[in-house]
Amino acid sequence: PKCKEIIAELESKGSTDENLLAAGRASFIAGDYASSTRLADSVLERQPDNLVSLLLAADTATRLAVQTEDDAHYERAVDLYSRILAKDPANLAAANNLAWTLGINLGKEHRAMEEILRRVPAAAQASPTVPVDILDTLGTLHMRMNQLDKARTYFDAIIQRDPDNATAYFRVGQI
């Protein structure tokens, strides 16, 4: 209820792109993916290269793809993340989320797994230290491909950096 009030207030302040995106993020957090999509798309109509809107729309499409198992949402998310990476190849959030989005649909996905794994490290090269969530995505994808030695390398790197990371220990236990 409180989130809906915040969204209504943001939308009532005027339709500046900043207000629309703030309302879109609030809608996303509230689980109102229809509103999140509508608001992100309204900004993209005016600014098709707006990276914040592209990321919000892609993240929303990913959630809808998982929730509904609708291939149209899945394909939209992949397209939007790919657009972001075409404009900003070092965008770690988009690279990680694209890899994860492709990875959740491995059974249906016709793209080669190597392509998925290629995208994240390419973006991560611009970062002096690869964030833990990127390492987790890479390890998880290798695990799903039954490349357990490679997966273990990523999880060990997480543990070396963050010895209290319970998720990494859990994933090592899954191997």
Side-chain angles (χ1 to χ4, degrees), residues 84-95 119-127 134:
I84 294 167
L85 290 170
K87 293 176 187 339
D88 181 10
N91 190 311
L92 291 174
R119 290 176 182 262
V120 173
Q125 287 173 5
S127 175
I134 302 281

Side-chain angles (χ1 to χ4, degrees), residues 50-60 80-81 84 91 93-94 97:
N50 183 301
L51 293 177
V52 175
S53 295
L54 286 168
L55 190 58
L56 177 60
D59 289 347
T60 303
L80 291 166
Y81 288 130
I84 294 167
N91 190 311
N97 293 353

